[in-house]
Amino acid sequence: MQNGGHLQPKQSLRVGVIGAGAAGLVTARELLREGHRPTVFEQGTRVGGVWVYTDKVEEPHGDVGQAGAVDERVHSSMYANLRTNLPREVMSYTDFPFTQSWGDPRRFCGHAEVEAYLEAFAAAFDLEKHIRFNTPVLRVTPCKDNCRPSTSASSAADAGQNGHSYGENASGSAASDVAVGMSQNGLQNGGNAGRPEEEEKLPWPRWRVTTTPDQDQGDPTTSGEEVFDAVVVCNGHYSHPRRPELPGAAGFPGRLLHSHSYRHNRPFAGLNVVVVGASASGEDISREIALVAKKVYLCARSWQNPAWASETAAPFRPRGNIWRRGVPSRLHPDGGVSFEGGERVDDVDVVMLATGYRYTFPFLADARIGDAPIVIVDDNRVSPLYQHIFPPAAAPTLSFVGLPWKVVPFAQYELQAKWIVRVLSGRVSLPSQRHMLADISAFYASLDKEGVPKRHTHMLGDKQWEYNDWLADACGPDVPRLPLWRPLMYKIAGDTKRAFPETYRDEWHETALIAEAAAEARTLGA
Ligand code: FAD
């Protein structure tokens, strides 16, 4: 079959997807469209990921979390009153408009509305039958030898039958110059279609996915281990708090919390609260807390930003009890907090860290090719990854969707997924491992040169649109670039938010772009 200059056989692979949030859902949809066979593993009971609000928290405080079990991991970081910081139109996937309302018609809607949108997406593409709920993935490892994909949901990892093994370039011994695409490796028709002589040459790993901690306690109809031709990791990265060390924290008598455990402002009534981190959550939470707290100090490295000079000198709205400060330089045993810049405040009851989240892939801890781990996370850089997606040593059968941040996520996830599924089917090739590694090194060098800290490796911001165009182009001519109304709407939302942080959600005056989004929705039949 010829496609965009590539002569490739089309292949249908059995693909494990980890997570049924916005990334996992669209990945499953794209896999199905390309003729692959996805199985989505979801540790929770519903689709939606972070948008599935829960009262439970890992750090109980005030009346929050006291009733729920607190000794379990809580995935969601949503708080009760959260409203989106983007207009719903721009949050949509490309062909499933977010114009309809499920009870909250506001343009910047609440979390339940986004969850309803994702549920509707799953229903529209009949995805639920491919999802296994209550099924945390515990371990993903490359099959060193003798493994073939399981053929049904209930089949065990039927390793050991057909004797194929890695080729050279997956062993990690040397980067190959051969372009990476499934057509290179003889993996066809699910990878075990009775062509053992080709499978002998298979250079790309398959993956053993383990979901049951103890075989004895597992559901007797499954062994808890299955083998997949490929795995796509969509486990989200707004769930595991990043907690920078604060000098003096051990002796500080007040509460130290992370915004992951913030649900509502009631526990903060009458208190003095220091909120560390002034990105989206820090700004929103500090305003919400200030409605009931005595005083709030909103701290950020960028506190000397000229735009905030007046807010540093004097309190600002909504109740005139929020001040901007530098990041805390020390917490004191008497309840005081000193800030960068030398100032100190006394009687602080709570320090709330709105300092973001960590990438973590515990299920990949044992995933090595040769002696090397497939990816490492160092200071929130997940490396090495080609285009934030493919680890060269394991490409294309291991990939990641949804790592970039400061982006408009859903449509970008969709483009990432479209590229992955085309590479898996052989319609599109990746460059050689050597090329991918060189590209990654050049990317890291460019970040160093620009002075971008390592922990911002996956922060795209304004570069997201160029990245999205790159992905669309990589997919081939059947995938158009995102229309211009999307970046324009994103920019206007950002500008308005900066200018009117308290009211921007309810005062959207730009109608031409909304009309354009609506017209596009109509052409899609919504
Ligand atoms: P998630 O939604 O986190 O989904 C990951 C899924 O993987 C979860 O269902 C989880 O249970 C599952 N999972 C994880 N590990 C395993 C495992 N080992 N085994 C099985 N399942 C597993 N985006 C916007 O567009 N607009 C906004 O206004 C906005 N506001 C936000 C506000 C907050 C407070 C937060 C935290 C995020 C916000 N986002 C917003 C970003 C949001 O995270 C993305 O929109 C998107 O929903 C992330 O989707 P995801 O699928 O990558 O991750």
Side-chain angles (χ1 to χ4, degrees):
M1 186 203 326
Q2 184 138 21
N3 186 302
H6 298 282
L7 271 172
Q8 307 279 6
K10 196 162 183 280
Q11 298 160 111
S12 165
L13 304 187
R14 187 151 192 266
V15 184
V17 177
I18 303 174
L25 291 175
V26 77
T27 299
R29 200 271 308 261
E30 293 301 325
L31 284 163
L32 288 165
R33 280 187 167 169
E34 189 72 2
H36 298 299
R37 292 159 289 149
T39 299
V40 182
F41 296 98
E42 169 52 53
Q43 64 191 1
T45 55
R46 333 175 26 175
V47 304
V50 284
W51 296 100
V52 181
Y53 173 80
T54 172
D55 284 330
K56 286 184 182 172
V57 292
E58 290 163 31
E59 304 168 298
H61 52 282
D63 65 345
V64 175
Q66 302 298 357
V70 292
D71 56 350
E72 62 185 57
R73 267 238 79 235
V74 175
H75 183 79
S76 184
S77 304
M78 284 292 144
Y79 35 98
N81 290 325
L82 179 127
R83 289 176 68 186
T84 63
N85 54 19
L86 293 170
R88 61 200 295 146
E89 287 85 352
V90 78
M91 281 181 62
S92 72
Y93 298 115
T94 66
D95 57 358
F96 194 72
F98 193 2
T99 42
Q100 183 190 335
S101 160
W102 288 268
D104 178 359
R106 293 173 297 179
R107 173 148 290 125
F108 294 76
C109 56
H111 53 76
E113 182 79 357
V114 183
E115 185 191 354
Y117 169 79
L118 292 172
E119 277 173 1
F121 178 81
F125 297 100
D126 206 10
L127 301 179
E128 289 222 354
K129 67 182 182 210
H130 303 279
I131 303 174
R132 287 201 221 145
F133 292 103
N134 288 311
T135 311
V137 169
L138 305 176
R139 204 159 170 261
V140 175
T141 49
C143 303
K144 284 250 156 39
D145 44 41
N146 301 335
C147 83
R148 59 160 67 175
S150 312
T151 50
S152 74
S154 63
S155 70
D158 47 1
Q161 311 310 315
N162 61 348
H164 63 243
S165 60
Y166 289 134
E168 292 269 298
N169 31 356
S171 71
S173 54
S176 158
D177 271 333
V178 177
V180 176
M182 297 304 283
S183 62
Q184 305 291 333
N185 62 27
L187 182 74
Q188 297 192 2
N189 300 327
N192 59 348
R195 304 184 69 166
E197 70 288 356
E198 287 190 352
E199 289 179 354
E200 288 289 334
K201 289 183 273 174
L202 179 71
W204 317 121
R206 289 185 176 125
W207 301 89
R208 194 182 307 278
V209 173
T210 308
T211 54
T212 309
D214 180 338
Q215 302 282 317
D216 294 337
Q217 291 170 16
D219 176 344
T221 62
T222 74
S223 76
E225 255 191 29
E226 284 166 63
V227 172
F228 290 88
D229 294 313
V231 166
V232 188
V233 177
C234 305
N235 66 331
H237 55 87
Y238 290 101
S239 185
H240 294 265
R242 185 179 156 269
R243 298 175 197 269
E245 287 222 351
L246 294 179
F252 179 66
R255 294 298 315 267
L256 208 55
L257 298 170
H258 191 279
S259 57
H260 176 53
S261 297
Y262 178 77
R263 294 294 179 266
H264 57 75
N265 64 9
R266 286 197 298 274
F268 305 96
L271 303 184
N272 291 323
V273 183
V274 166
V275 177
V276 186
S279 57
S281 295
E283 289 276 352
D284 275 353
I285 289 173
S286 57
R287 280 187 170 72
E288 196 169 287
I289 288 179
L291 293 172
V292 298
K294 200 153 132 199
K295 289 181 180 171
V296 174
Y297 298 91
L298 175 56
C299 312
R301 282 200 186 86
S302 47
W303 66 292
Q304 284 168 314
N305 183 332
W308 290 340
S310 61
E311 297 178 356
T312 304
F316 64 98
R317 294 176 295 172
R319 282 181 56 231
N321 59 347
I322 311 181
W323 283 263
R324 297 215 185 248
R325 288 289 176 267
V327 290
S329 51
R330 178 159 292 278
L331 311 189
H332 300 282
D334 61 359
V337 173
S338 305
F339 302 101
E340 245 176 36
E343 233 181 294
R344 176 191 154 120
V345 294
D346 293 322
D347 302 324
V348 173
D349 301 291
V350 179
V351 174
M352 164 84 67
L353 298 173
T355 43
Y357 295 88
R358 292 180 293 118
Y359 294 97
T360 172
F361 312 100
F363 43 83
L364 288 176
D366 301 326
R368 307 178 90 78
I369 288 192
D371 287 335
I374 292 170
V375 289
I376 57 165
V377 183
D378 177 22
D379 196 13
N380 247 13
R381 170 181 288 175
V382 187
S383 70
L385 286 183
Y386 179 59
Q387 298 294 343
H388 308 277
I389 293 178
F390 287 111
T397 59
L398 185 71
S399 56
F400 296 76
V401 172
L403 297 199
W405 54 281
K406 233 178 183 181
V407 298
V408 182
F410 298 1
Q412 182 172 90
Y413 299 167
E414 183 178 344
L415 289 171
Q416 291 183 317
K418 283 182 192 297
W419 186 39
I420 292 168
V421 304
R422 282 162 172 73
V423 173
L424 289 176
S425 68
R427 283 213 279 154
V428 168
S429 292
L430 290 178
S432 69
Q433 269 194 52
R434 196 182 299 280
H435 176 104
M436 287 191 273
L437 288 167
D439 185 276
I440 294 165
S441 298
F443 171 53
Y444 294 162
S446 74
L447 294 180
D448 287 348
K449 205 168 156 198
E450 290 170 38
V452 177
K454 196 184 243 187
R455 68 177 191 286
H456 289 180
T457 298
H458 305 290
M459 196 267 275
L460 295 188
D462 289 340
K463 293 179 183 162
Q464 68 183 297
W465 308 107
E466 196 186 325
Y467 175 71
N468 291 342
D469 286 350
W470 188 96
L471 287 171
D473 295 353
C475 289
D478 61 321
V479 177
R481 292 180 171 191
L482 298 181
L484 202 55
W485 65 262
R486 287 181 179 261
L488 291 176
M489 198 180 279
Y490 172 78
K491 174 147 184 10
I492 289 172
D495 291 348
T496 322
K497 180 180 163 189
R498 274 184 292 281
F500 308 103
E502 285 155 48
T503 53
Y504 75 99
R505 290 183 169 96
D506 293 312
E507 293 186 15
W508 182 272
H509 300 297
E510 208 299 318
T511 51
L513 296 176
I514 297 295
E516 220 174 305
E520 187 184 289
R522 278 194 300 279
T523 64
L524 293 163

